[in-house]
Amino acid sequence: MPKVYIKTFGCQMNRRDSEALLGLLQEEGYFLASSLQGADIVLVNTCSVRQHAENRALSFTASLKNKVKILGIIGCMAKARGEEIAQKMPYVDIICSPAKMAEIPRFLKEAGEGKKTLALEDGTRPEEFYHSSFRFEKDRAQVVISTGCSNYCTYCIVPYVRGPLRLRRPQDIISEVKKNIDLGIRRITLLGQNVNDYQYKLSAGDGSALGGQIIDFVELLRMIEKIEGIEEINFVTSHPKNTSRELFELMASSQKIKKHLHLPFQSGSDRILKLMNRGYTKQDYLKLIDDYYCIVGGTLSTDVIVGFPTETKKDFLETKKILEKVHFRYAYIFKYSPRPYTKAFSLKDDVPKEIKEKRHRELLDLQKRISTGKV
Ligand code: SAH
Ligand code: SF4
Ligand code: F3S
């Protein structure tokens, strides 16, 4: 059987997708190559969140032209730019959106017979996608609780490449957690673009007498906490607009939920936050942080974007002030990158490159000093 290798760009969700897919392929009898060398089949699982991420995946793929038997571009960039890639990179055999990944074993068989695949549809993945036992790590695992996003932050391509918010059923999530425990993995990270959007309405079809009851994220955490053998629960990402005190209270009282919160604020300027459609103000955010420190007393991390259209020096300094004030353990700081399909794409990308770079560097330096305890 041929050897398959998946190169992953992008977020933890993408990494889990690569893992699940490798598991499916292993069950089909493929060998998993431990590195690029020696692989007959290479799938590039791509990210579209910034132009830079796309460029890296494209040049990686181009470097493999005529070097492997089957080459695929899968994931978010396949969804965003599949047609264009099919035209410009005719040597790519499989182009597959995130929603169609469970069908890749079939696409690979067809590629072996010389047929190319362009599968770009959105939709709900079959539950079986998550069922195999292959794991990258021995002591921790990621479990997807929802796919897609319906928040439509104006800069963000995720809702367009991953589709609208779709929830996995609580019983499916729980059975995957239990499976990890059976595999000897007791530390779990729950994944969703915004975990707080989780609101699953139980129906008779869920085999529960609790038809009509809503399982929200806090309730889901309570259910997972009770699973025998679980030792540590983490989750990413939380959106400030619907992170609740109830969540903080559960984090405070739980022996298992890690006291760390990734809470992206993106910008410290209310005007920019509004343009980003984030749904909170700087004051709302700082109040939430106060509540978190008072109730949970844990650590924090965040994401920030500099150079969003129309960002002035004053707006930027407000962002800087939040980093100085909150003292995040770590922060991911990004330069704004215009993305197709998004609302902000129609705005002029008017912060000059040099200014974006200067602001980026300034925040990176500041955060480095904070993270290393020098400020
Ligand atoms: N769902 C998560 C993560 C989304 S993508 C959340 O809402 O927090 C991860 C990060 O990439 C975002 O938090 C944002 O800071 C950054 N990002 C998203 N789109 C971007 C863009 N067009 N330009 C620059 N950074 C972007
Ligand atoms: Fe993108 Fe906003 Fe959804 Fe996060 S919450 S994935 S930033 S649209
Ligand atoms: Fe993740 Fe990038 Fe897609 S951040 S959801 S891999 S666009």
Side-chain angles (χ1 to χ4, degrees):
M1 248 343 218
K3 275 193 183 172
V4 56
Y5 181 76
I6 303 185
K7 169 78 180 175
T8 309
F9 293 90
C11 63
Q12 288 196 59
M13 192 76 79
N14 244 23
R15 213 171 102 82
R16 171 63 187 132
D17 286 351
S18 293
E19 181 183 75
L21 181 54
L22 283 169
L24 285 187
L25 294 172
Q26 194 177 42
E27 284 178 355
E28 294 278 322
Y30 289 89
F31 293 115
L32 309 188
S34 54
S35 72
L36 197 54
Q37 282 72 37
D40 309 293
I41 300 169
V42 176
L43 302 173
V44 187
N45 194 4
T46 56
C47 173
S48 266
V49 81
R50 285 168 291 276
Q51 186 61 52
H52 181 62
E54 290 196 346
N55 295 347
R56 283 174 58 217
L58 285 170
S59 59
F60 178 83
T61 310
S63 76
L64 294 175
K65 183 181 174 183
N66 300 330
K67 293 216 174 98
V68 289
K69 286 203 187 97
I70 300 175
L71 183 58
I73 291 196
I74 66 175
C76 296
M77 189 175 51
K79 175 73 182 157
R81 296 177 57 185
E83 308 267 357
E84 178 198 340
I85 291 168
Q87 283 214 331
K88 292 193 181 150
M89 303 170 99
Y91 52 88
V92 173
D93 305 287
I94 295 171
I95 303 175
C96 176
S97 64
K100 301 295 275 182
M101 276 186 195
E103 292 175 45
I104 285 181
R106 177 165 61 83
F107 300 155
L108 281 175
K109 268 197 203 102
E110 292 171 354
E113 293 152 12
K115 181 176 175 282
K116 286 196 186 294
T117 294
L118 184 63
L120 302 183
E121 297 85 352
D122 184 29
T124 306
R125 291 169 165 173
E127 206 19 61
E128 295 72 51
F129 182 67
Y130 301 103
H131 279 196
S132 64
S133 305
F134 175 73
R135 297 290 181 273
F136 287 131
E137 290 168 278
K138 287 199 166 61
D139 63 340
R140 57 166 56 246
Q142 284 74 40
V143 176
V144 171
I145 67 166
S146 60
T147 61
C149 183
S150 298
N151 284 308
Y152 298 97
C153 303
T154 57
Y155 52 80
C156 183
I157 198 171
V158 171
Y160 305 95
V161 289
R162 290 270 172 173
L165 177 71
R166 292 186 175 98
L167 308 180
R168 282 180 78 198
R169 300 188 311 170
Q171 57 268 47
D172 293 332
I173 295 166
I174 287 169
S175 89
E176 191 178 326
V177 173
K178 286 184 175 161
K179 170 131 194 183
N180 282 312
I181 292 170
D182 289 344
L183 293 168
I185 303 174
R186 292 159 185 274
R187 292 157 69 202
I188 300 293
T189 300
L190 304 174
L191 301 180
Q193 296 298 343
N194 172 15
V195 291
N196 304 316
D197 288 340
Y198 193 90
Q199 294 265 351
Y200 188 90
K201 191 167 176 198
L202 289 176
S203 67
D206 294 320
S208 163
L210 303 168
Q213 193 198 330
I214 298 216
I215 308 287
D216 64 10
F217 180 60
V218 175
E219 191 54 37
L220 182 70
L221 277 175
R222 286 198 192 101
M223 292 162 88
I224 292 174
E225 241 201 325
K226 291 196 191 105
I227 296 174
E228 205 178 295
I230 192 147
E231 280 172 8
E232 187 184 294
I233 306 167
N234 306 272
F235 53 88
V236 276
T237 298
S238 302
H239 191 307
K241 75 172 177 186
N242 58 1
T243 296
S244 65
R245 285 178 69 98
E246 210 192 341
L247 173 66
F248 294 165
E249 278 151 16
L250 179 63
M251 289 175 85
S253 67
S254 171
Q255 301 298 308
K256 305 201 168 153
I257 303 172
K258 196 88 185 278
K259 292 182 175 38
H260 179 83
L261 190 67
H262 186 65
L263 197 66
F265 73 91
Q266 313 297 359
S267 169
S269 153
D270 285 345
R271 191 181 65 81
I272 297 288
L273 285 171
K274 202 160 183 191
L275 287 175
M276 288 176 162
N277 186 34
R278 288 290 287 178
Y280 54 86
T281 62
K282 174 176 81 177
Q283 278 319 311
D284 298 335
Y285 187 80
L286 292 174
K287 169 78 172 59
L288 197 59
I289 297 285
D290 272 350
D291 287 349
Y292 176 74
Y293 280 140
C294 281
I295 301 172
V296 184
T299 52
L300 282 164
S301 54
T302 201
D303 294 349
V304 175
I305 298 175
V306 296
F308 187 83
T310 77
E311 185 187 71
T312 61
K313 181 153 190 204
K314 186 163 162 277
D315 296 317
F316 167 71
L317 290 175
E318 300 224 52
T319 300
K320 190 174 174 190
K321 227 184 277 166
I322 296 208
L323 286 181
E324 286 166 338
K325 201 175 156 106
V326 178
H327 275 212
F328 296 96
R329 174 163 281 188
Y330 56 92
Y332 297 108
I333 297 157
F334 304 108
K335 286 176 278 188
Y336 171 71
S337 168
R339 306 314 297 135
Y341 310 108
T342 64
K343 214 168 161 200
F345 195 62
S346 61
L347 303 174
K348 190 165 173 245
D349 182 19
D350 60 356
V351 178
K353 196 164 170 268
E354 315 78 69
I355 304 272
K356 270 188 202 166
E357 261 155 27
K358 186 166 165 282
R359 291 176 184 169
H360 186 230
R361 171 91 352 246
E362 199 170 324
L363 295 193
L364 285 178
D365 287 347
L366 169 65
Q367 184 57 40
K368 194 169 168 200
R369 279 182 278 130
I370 292 171
S371 297
T372 52
K374 288 187 187 134
V375 180

Short mmCIF file of all heavy atoms in Angstrom, two decimals, residues 10-12 49-50 155 236-237 260-267 285 300-306 319 323 328-336 359-360 363-364 367-368 371:
data_model
loop_
_atom_site.label_atom_id
_atom_site.label_comp_id
_atom_site.label_asym_id
_atom_site.label_seq_id
_atom_site.Cartn_x
_atom_site.Cartn_y
_atom_site.Cartn_z
N GLY A 10 -2.02 26.26 9.42
CA GLY A 10 -3.23 26.78 10.09
C GLY A 10 -3.41 26.35 11.52
O GLY A 10 -2.46 26.01 12.21
N CYS A 11 -4.67 26.32 11.93
CA CYS A 11 -5.01 26.27 13.36
C CYS A 11 -5.11 24.85 13.91
O CYS A 11 -4.95 23.87 13.19
CB CYS A 11 -6.33 27.00 13.55
SG CYS A 11 -7.70 26.20 12.69
N GLN A 12 -5.41 24.77 15.19
CA GLN A 12 -5.56 23.47 15.87
C GLN A 12 -6.66 22.63 15.25
O GLN A 12 -6.59 21.40 15.23
CB GLN A 12 -5.91 23.68 17.35
CG GLN A 12 -4.77 24.22 18.17
CD GLN A 12 -5.06 24.02 19.67
OE1 GLN A 12 -5.26 22.93 20.16
NE2 GLN A 12 -5.08 25.12 20.39
N VAL A 49 -6.55 32.07 6.44
CA VAL A 49 -6.91 33.16 7.35
C VAL A 49 -6.17 34.46 7.05
O VAL A 49 -6.70 35.54 7.23
CB VAL A 49 -6.77 32.71 8.83
CG1 VAL A 49 -5.35 32.78 9.34
CG2 VAL A 49 -7.71 33.49 9.72
N ARG A 50 -4.93 34.32 6.56
CA ARG A 50 -4.17 35.48 6.09
C ARG A 50 -3.49 35.12 4.77
O ARG A 50 -3.21 33.94 4.52
CB ARG A 50 -3.09 35.90 7.12
CG ARG A 50 -3.66 36.62 8.34
CD ARG A 50 -2.64 36.76 9.45
NE ARG A 50 -2.33 35.46 10.02
CZ ARG A 50 -3.06 34.86 10.96
NH1 ARG A 50 -4.11 35.46 11.47
NH2 ARG A 50 -2.74 33.67 11.41
N TYR A 155 -13.41 40.97 9.16
CA TYR A 155 -12.10 40.68 8.55
C TYR A 155 -11.92 39.21 8.23
O TYR A 155 -10.94 38.82 7.60
CB TYR A 155 -10.97 41.11 9.51
CG TYR A 155 -11.15 40.55 10.91
CD1 TYR A 155 -10.79 39.25 11.20
CD2 TYR A 155 -11.75 41.31 11.91
CE1 TYR A 155 -10.99 38.71 12.45
CE2 TYR A 155 -11.95 40.79 13.18
CZ TYR A 155 -11.57 39.48 13.43
OH TYR A 155 -11.80 38.94 14.67
N VAL A 236 -10.55 26.05 23.41
CA VAL A 236 -10.30 27.24 22.60
C VAL A 236 -11.29 27.25 21.43
O VAL A 236 -11.60 26.19 20.91
CB VAL A 236 -8.88 27.29 21.99
CG1 VAL A 236 -7.87 27.84 22.95
CG2 VAL A 236 -8.44 25.97 21.42
N THR A 237 -11.74 28.43 21.02
CA THR A 237 -11.47 29.77 21.52
C THR A 237 -12.73 30.32 22.18
O THR A 237 -13.83 29.94 21.79
CB THR A 237 -11.09 30.67 20.33
OG1 THR A 237 -9.91 30.18 19.73
CG2 THR A 237 -10.85 32.08 20.72
N HIS A 260 -7.01 28.53 32.38
CA HIS A 260 -6.42 29.39 31.35
C HIS A 260 -7.51 29.71 30.33
O HIS A 260 -8.28 28.84 29.94
CB HIS A 260 -5.25 28.70 30.64
CG HIS A 260 -4.66 29.58 29.58
ND1 HIS A 260 -3.73 30.57 29.87
CD2 HIS A 260 -4.91 29.68 28.26
CE1 HIS A 260 -3.45 31.23 28.75
NE2 HIS A 260 -4.15 30.71 27.76
N LEU A 261 -7.52 30.97 29.89
CA LEU A 261 -8.55 31.39 28.94
C LEU A 261 -7.90 32.11 27.77
O LEU A 261 -7.15 33.07 27.96
CB LEU A 261 -9.51 32.35 29.67
CG LEU A 261 -10.79 32.73 28.94
CD1 LEU A 261 -11.71 31.52 28.78
CD2 LEU A 261 -11.51 33.85 29.70
N HIS A 262 -8.19 31.62 26.55
CA HIS A 262 -7.73 32.34 25.35
C HIS A 262 -8.89 33.23 24.92
O HIS A 262 -9.93 32.74 24.48
CB HIS A 262 -7.34 31.35 24.25
CG HIS A 262 -6.73 32.03 23.07
ND1 HIS A 262 -5.52 32.70 23.15
CD2 HIS A 262 -7.15 32.20 21.80
CE1 HIS A 262 -5.22 33.23 21.97
NE2 HIS A 262 -6.21 32.95 21.14
N LEU A 263 -8.70 34.54 25.06
CA LEU A 263 -9.80 35.49 24.85
C LEU A 263 -9.35 36.63 23.94
O LEU A 263 -8.92 37.69 24.41
CB LEU A 263 -10.23 36.02 26.24
CG LEU A 263 -11.58 36.72 26.34
CD1 LEU A 263 -12.73 35.74 26.07
CD2 LEU A 263 -11.76 37.33 27.74
N PRO A 264 -9.44 36.40 22.62
CA PRO A 264 -8.96 37.43 21.68
C PRO A 264 -9.73 38.74 21.82
O PRO A 264 -10.96 38.72 21.87
CB PRO A 264 -9.23 36.81 20.31
CG PRO A 264 -9.28 35.33 20.56
CD PRO A 264 -9.92 35.20 21.92
N PHE A 265 -8.99 39.88 21.90
CA PHE A 265 -9.72 41.16 21.93
C PHE A 265 -9.60 41.90 20.61
O PHE A 265 -10.39 42.78 20.32
CB PHE A 265 -9.31 42.02 23.14
CG PHE A 265 -7.94 42.65 23.07
CD1 PHE A 265 -7.77 43.92 22.53
CD2 PHE A 265 -6.83 42.00 23.58
CE1 PHE A 265 -6.52 44.52 22.48
CE2 PHE A 265 -5.57 42.58 23.53
CZ PHE A 265 -5.40 43.84 22.97
N GLN A 266 -8.62 41.58 19.80
CA GLN A 266 -8.42 42.09 18.42
C GLN A 266 -8.02 43.56 18.35
O GLN A 266 -7.09 43.91 17.64
CB GLN A 266 -9.65 41.85 17.52
CG GLN A 266 -10.23 40.45 17.56
CD GLN A 266 -9.31 39.34 17.06
OE1 GLN A 266 -8.19 39.61 16.64
NE2 GLN A 266 -9.77 38.10 17.13
N SER A 267 -8.77 44.43 19.07
CA SER A 267 -8.41 45.85 19.05
C SER A 267 -8.90 46.51 20.33
O SER A 267 -9.90 46.08 20.90
CB SER A 267 -9.07 46.55 17.85
OG SER A 267 -8.92 47.96 17.98
N TYR A 285 -14.80 44.42 27.56
CA TYR A 285 -13.70 43.46 27.60
C TYR A 285 -12.95 43.54 28.93
O TYR A 285 -12.68 42.52 29.58
CB TYR A 285 -12.74 43.70 26.43
CG TYR A 285 -11.67 42.62 26.33
CD1 TYR A 285 -11.94 41.39 25.74
CD2 TYR A 285 -10.40 42.82 26.86
CE1 TYR A 285 -10.99 40.39 25.69
CE2 TYR A 285 -9.43 41.83 26.81
CZ TYR A 285 -9.73 40.61 26.21
OH TYR A 285 -8.78 39.61 26.17
N LEU A 300 -4.26 34.24 31.12
CA LEU A 300 -4.98 34.67 29.92
C LEU A 300 -4.04 34.72 28.72
O LEU A 300 -2.84 34.96 28.88
CB LEU A 300 -5.50 36.10 30.13
CG LEU A 300 -6.75 36.31 30.97
CD1 LEU A 300 -6.85 37.78 31.36
CD2 LEU A 300 -8.00 35.88 30.21
N SER A 301 -4.60 34.55 27.53
CA SER A 301 -3.86 34.82 26.30
C SER A 301 -4.85 35.46 25.32
O SER A 301 -6.06 35.48 25.58
CB SER A 301 -3.27 33.53 25.73
OG SER A 301 -4.27 32.56 25.57
N THR A 302 -4.33 35.98 24.21
CA THR A 302 -5.21 36.74 23.32
C THR A 302 -4.70 36.77 21.88
O THR A 302 -3.59 36.33 21.60
CB THR A 302 -5.38 38.17 23.87
OG1 THR A 302 -6.56 38.76 23.33
CG2 THR A 302 -4.18 39.05 23.54
N ASP A 303 -5.54 37.28 20.98
CA ASP A 303 -5.15 37.59 19.59
C ASP A 303 -5.41 39.08 19.35
O ASP A 303 -6.40 39.63 19.86
CB ASP A 303 -6.03 36.85 18.57
CG ASP A 303 -5.87 35.35 18.58
OD1 ASP A 303 -4.94 34.83 19.22
OD2 ASP A 303 -6.72 34.68 17.94
N VAL A 304 -4.54 39.68 18.54
CA VAL A 304 -4.67 41.09 18.22
C VAL A 304 -4.42 41.29 16.73
O VAL A 304 -3.58 40.59 16.15
CB VAL A 304 -3.59 41.91 19.00
CG1 VAL A 304 -3.61 43.36 18.61
CG2 VAL A 304 -3.77 41.76 20.50
N ILE A 305 -5.15 42.20 16.12
CA ILE A 305 -4.89 42.57 14.72
C ILE A 305 -4.47 44.04 14.69
O ILE A 305 -5.17 44.89 15.24
CB ILE A 305 -6.14 42.38 13.84
CG1 ILE A 305 -6.56 40.91 13.82
CG2 ILE A 305 -5.89 42.88 12.42
CD1 ILE A 305 -7.87 40.65 13.07
N VAL A 306 -3.33 44.34 14.04
CA VAL A 306 -2.96 45.74 13.83
C VAL A 306 -3.16 46.09 12.36
O VAL A 306 -3.04 45.22 11.48
CB VAL A 306 -1.50 46.06 14.23
CG1 VAL A 306 -1.28 45.87 15.71
CG2 VAL A 306 -0.50 45.24 13.42
N THR A 319 -5.01 49.84 21.65
CA THR A 319 -4.73 48.39 21.63
C THR A 319 -3.51 48.11 22.51
O THR A 319 -3.50 47.19 23.33
CB THR A 319 -4.46 47.93 20.18
OG1 THR A 319 -5.63 48.19 19.41
CG2 THR A 319 -4.11 46.45 20.12
N LEU A 323 -2.74 45.63 26.13
CA LEU A 323 -1.65 44.65 26.37
C LEU A 323 -0.88 45.04 27.64
O LEU A 323 -0.54 44.18 28.46
CB LEU A 323 -0.69 44.61 25.19
CG LEU A 323 -1.15 43.92 23.91
CD1 LEU A 323 -0.05 43.96 22.85
CD2 LEU A 323 -1.55 42.47 24.15
N PHE A 328 -1.11 39.63 29.39
CA PHE A 328 -1.42 38.28 28.92
C PHE A 328 -0.17 37.41 29.04
O PHE A 328 0.95 37.90 28.86
CB PHE A 328 -1.85 38.34 27.44
CG PHE A 328 -3.12 39.10 27.23
CD1 PHE A 328 -3.09 40.44 26.87
CD2 PHE A 328 -4.34 38.47 27.42
CE1 PHE A 328 -4.27 41.15 26.69
CE2 PHE A 328 -5.53 39.18 27.24
CZ PHE A 328 -5.49 40.53 26.89
N ARG A 329 -0.39 36.14 29.28
CA ARG A 329 0.75 35.22 29.33
C ARG A 329 1.41 35.16 27.95
O ARG A 329 2.61 35.15 27.81
CB ARG A 329 0.28 33.85 29.78
CG ARG A 329 1.41 32.84 29.71
CD ARG A 329 1.12 31.64 30.50
NE ARG A 329 1.37 31.89 31.91
CZ ARG A 329 1.34 30.95 32.84
NH1 ARG A 329 1.08 29.71 32.49
NH2 ARG A 329 1.55 31.24 34.09
N TYR A 330 0.57 35.09 26.91
CA TYR A 330 1.09 35.21 25.54
C TYR A 330 0.01 35.83 24.66
O TYR A 330 -1.18 35.81 25.00
CB TYR A 330 1.58 33.88 24.96
CG TYR A 330 0.58 32.76 24.96
CD1 TYR A 330 -0.24 32.53 23.87
CD2 TYR A 330 0.45 31.92 26.08
CE1 TYR A 330 -1.17 31.51 23.87
CE2 TYR A 330 -0.47 30.88 26.09
CZ TYR A 330 -1.29 30.69 24.98
OH TYR A 330 -2.20 29.67 24.99
N ALA A 331 0.47 36.40 23.53
CA ALA A 331 -0.49 37.04 22.61
C ALA A 331 -0.03 36.78 21.18
O ALA A 331 1.16 36.87 20.88
CB ALA A 331 -0.53 38.55 22.87
N TYR A 332 -0.98 36.42 20.32
CA TYR A 332 -0.69 36.29 18.89
C TYR A 332 -1.05 37.62 18.25
O TYR A 332 -2.20 38.07 18.35
CB TYR A 332 -1.50 35.15 18.27
CG TYR A 332 -1.17 33.80 18.86
CD1 TYR A 332 -2.05 33.15 19.70
CD2 TYR A 332 0.05 33.19 18.57
CE1 TYR A 332 -1.74 31.91 20.25
CE2 TYR A 332 0.38 31.96 19.11
CZ TYR A 332 -0.52 31.32 19.95
OH TYR A 332 -0.20 30.11 20.50
N ILE A 333 -0.06 38.23 17.62
CA ILE A 333 -0.30 39.56 17.04
C ILE A 333 -0.15 39.47 15.52
O ILE A 333 0.85 38.96 15.02
CB ILE A 333 0.70 40.56 17.65
CG1 ILE A 333 0.41 40.66 19.16
CG2 ILE A 333 0.59 41.94 17.00
CD1 ILE A 333 1.56 41.12 19.99
N PHE A 334 -1.20 39.93 14.83
CA PHE A 334 -1.25 39.76 13.38
C PHE A 334 -1.38 41.11 12.68
O PHE A 334 -2.01 42.02 13.20
CB PHE A 334 -2.46 38.91 12.98
CG PHE A 334 -2.50 37.56 13.65
CD1 PHE A 334 -3.43 37.30 14.64
CD2 PHE A 334 -1.60 36.57 13.29
CE1 PHE A 334 -3.47 36.05 15.26
CE2 PHE A 334 -1.63 35.32 13.91
CZ PHE A 334 -2.57 35.06 14.90
N LYS A 335 -0.80 41.17 11.47
CA LYS A 335 -1.04 42.34 10.61
C LYS A 335 -2.30 42.06 9.81
O LYS A 335 -2.44 40.94 9.26
CB LYS A 335 0.14 42.53 9.65
CG LYS A 335 1.37 43.08 10.33
CD LYS A 335 2.55 43.15 9.37
CE LYS A 335 3.20 41.79 9.25
NZ LYS A 335 4.44 41.76 8.50
N TYR A 336 -3.18 43.02 9.71
CA TYR A 336 -4.42 42.84 8.95
C TYR A 336 -4.11 42.42 7.51
O TYR A 336 -3.26 42.99 6.84
CB TYR A 336 -5.25 44.13 8.95
CG TYR A 336 -6.42 44.06 8.01
CD1 TYR A 336 -7.51 43.24 8.29
CD2 TYR A 336 -6.43 44.77 6.81
CE1 TYR A 336 -8.58 43.14 7.41
CE2 TYR A 336 -7.50 44.69 5.93
CZ TYR A 336 -8.56 43.86 6.24
OH TYR A 336 -9.61 43.75 5.36
N ARG A 359 3.84 48.87 13.78
CA ARG A 359 2.91 48.59 14.89
C ARG A 359 3.02 47.13 15.34
O ARG A 359 2.99 46.82 16.53
CB ARG A 359 1.46 48.92 14.48
CG ARG A 359 1.26 50.42 14.33
CD ARG A 359 -0.14 50.80 13.83
NE ARG A 359 -0.18 52.24 13.62
CZ ARG A 359 -1.16 52.88 13.01
NH1 ARG A 359 -2.22 52.22 12.55
NH2 ARG A 359 -1.12 54.20 12.87
N HIS A 360 3.17 46.26 14.38
CA HIS A 360 3.31 44.83 14.66
C HIS A 360 4.54 44.60 15.53
O HIS A 360 4.48 43.98 16.60
CB HIS A 360 3.43 44.10 13.32
CG HIS A 360 3.44 42.61 13.42
ND1 HIS A 360 4.39 41.83 12.81
CD2 HIS A 360 2.61 41.76 14.05
CE1 HIS A 360 4.15 40.56 13.06
NE2 HIS A 360 3.08 40.48 13.82
N LEU A 363 4.23 45.91 19.15
CA LEU A 363 3.44 45.05 20.05
C LEU A 363 4.16 43.73 20.34
O LEU A 363 4.11 43.22 21.46
CB LEU A 363 2.05 44.78 19.48
CG LEU A 363 1.13 45.99 19.35
CD1 LEU A 363 -0.30 45.55 19.08
CD2 LEU A 363 1.16 46.88 20.59
N LEU A 364 4.85 43.19 19.34
CA LEU A 364 5.62 41.95 19.57
C LEU A 364 6.67 42.19 20.65
O LEU A 364 6.84 41.39 21.58
CB LEU A 364 6.31 41.48 18.29
CG LEU A 364 5.46 40.83 17.21
CD1 LEU A 364 6.33 40.48 16.00
CD2 LEU A 364 4.75 39.57 17.72
N GLN A 367 5.00 42.63 24.08
CA GLN A 367 4.49 41.37 24.63
C GLN A 367 5.64 40.45 25.04
O GLN A 367 5.53 39.73 26.03
CB GLN A 367 3.58 40.68 23.61
CG GLN A 367 2.92 39.42 24.14
CD GLN A 367 2.11 39.64 25.42
OE1 GLN A 367 1.41 40.64 25.57
NE2 GLN A 367 2.23 38.72 26.38
N LYS A 368 6.75 40.53 24.31
CA LYS A 368 7.91 39.70 24.67
C LYS A 368 8.40 40.12 26.06
O LYS A 368 8.70 39.26 26.91
CB LYS A 368 9.01 39.90 23.63
CG LYS A 368 10.09 38.86 23.73
CD LYS A 368 11.01 38.93 22.53
CE LYS A 368 12.25 38.08 22.77
NZ LYS A 368 13.33 38.49 21.87
N SER A 371 5.79 38.81 28.57
CA SER A 371 5.82 37.35 28.73
C SER A 371 7.05 36.88 29.50
O SER A 371 7.01 35.86 30.17
CB SER A 371 5.80 36.64 27.37
OG SER A 371 4.59 36.93 26.71
#
